[in-house]
Amino acid sequence: MNKLKFTISLLIMPAFSIACNTAAPPRPIESAIAPRPSPTPDAEAIAEVQNVAIEKLDGKTFKLADFRGKVVVVDFWATYCPPCVKQMPQLADLSKRYRDKGVEVVGLTSDEKADQGKVTEFLKKTGADYTIGYDNRWLSSAFLKGTEDETGSPPIPQLFVLARDGRVVEHLIGDRPQRGIDYVERVVNQLLNGASK
């Protein structure tokens, strides 16, 4: 009997391996799908990567630590992500209205550098004139760890609101009407008015 079980397991394992290797690539959260609750961000890991250099589209670099003293909204996004596309004009509007009040919006795209022309065109179309950089493995590891979906990759969009001291005070996954950009704006206002959240 044990020999039969062993033989069956040898036959099943290659099929299982093929299924794992042909899993669907990561995809953006669809608006119609209710996203899972956001896990608690790893505060220590996020604090450590705030001095990591982030490459802008023009090749220059910046760090999240450069914005210490401001309320920072960090958006992980891509041009191929429908909910991200929907949020971009809203984030552009938020940036314009709050930039002079001490708010910095930072967009981190997971688009490839080879697609820079598409990204630039997209930013012009949406009016997103805030700080944009390329996501990198250090940032993704720190901010997005624990949010992986069934594909094994973290979904996008993901928004983080950082207090003036760099602490994460809010983390949103996906596009939820009750916790969308209007909600982010309320959190930003609370922080600007001295609430520590």
Side-chain angles (χ1 to χ4, degrees):
M1 185 69 174
N2 285 341
K3 195 172 189 179
L4 178 62
K5 283 183 184 176
F6 179 74
T7 304
I8 290 171
S9 69
L10 285 177
L11 294 171
I12 292 173
M13 283 181 61
F16 180 75
S17 176
I18 289 169
C20 288
N21 290 333
T22 59
R27 56 188 180 272
I29 289 179
E30 296 296 329
S31 297
I33 298 172
R36 299 167 305 185
S38 303
T40 303
D42 185 339
E44 188 176 318
I46 289 171
E48 288 175 7
V49 298
Q50 292 198 24
N51 280 306
V52 168
I54 302 168
E55 186 178 352
K56 291 176 155 183
L57 302 182
D58 64 6
K60 295 179 182 173
T61 62
F62 69 97
K63 299 176 282 195
L64 292 175
D66 295 342
F67 307 118
R68 194 61 53 94
K70 294 184 176 186
V71 174
V72 181
V73 178
V74 180
D75 176 33
F76 287 84
W77 68 283
T79 59
Y80 53 82
C81 163
C84 302
V85 170
K86 179 183 167 192
Q87 283 183 349
M88 289 296 278
Q90 298 168 334
L91 286 168
D93 181 58
L94 182 82
S95 175
K96 285 178 184 132
R97 290 186 292 115
Y98 286 90
R99 182 180 293 138
D100 293 339
K101 297 177 182 177
V103 175
E104 188 72 33
V105 177
V106 175
L108 299 175
T109 182
S110 56
D111 283 89
E112 298 291 327
K113 288 181 187 175
D115 294 329
Q116 184 169 330
K118 180 170 41 169
V119 172
T120 303
E121 187 60 34
F122 174 75
L123 295 172
K124 284 180 192 170
K125 190 186 325 179
T126 59
D129 65 347
Y130 49 84
T131 304
I132 300 289
Y134 288 104
D135 183 16
N136 61 51
R137 64 186 172 100
W138 295 281
L139 294 165
S140 291
S141 295
F143 278 91
L144 307 181
K145 186 174 176 140
T147 66
E148 295 84 356
D149 61 19
E150 65 279 355
T151 68
S153 294
I156 52 174
Q158 290 199 44
L159 287 173
F160 294 80
V161 181
L162 309 182
R164 295 177 193 270
D165 61 3
R167 284 178 305 111
V168 175
V169 295
E170 192 58 74
H171 174 208
L172 306 170
I173 300 176
D175 177 33
R176 294 184 266 181
Q178 68 277 22
R179 285 174 52 100
I181 300 301
D182 290 341
Y183 175 77
V184 169
E185 185 171 358
R186 286 196 299 276
V187 173
V188 163
N189 272 308
Q190 288 173 358
L191 292 169
L192 290 174
N193 292 322
S196 61
K197 186 107 164 71

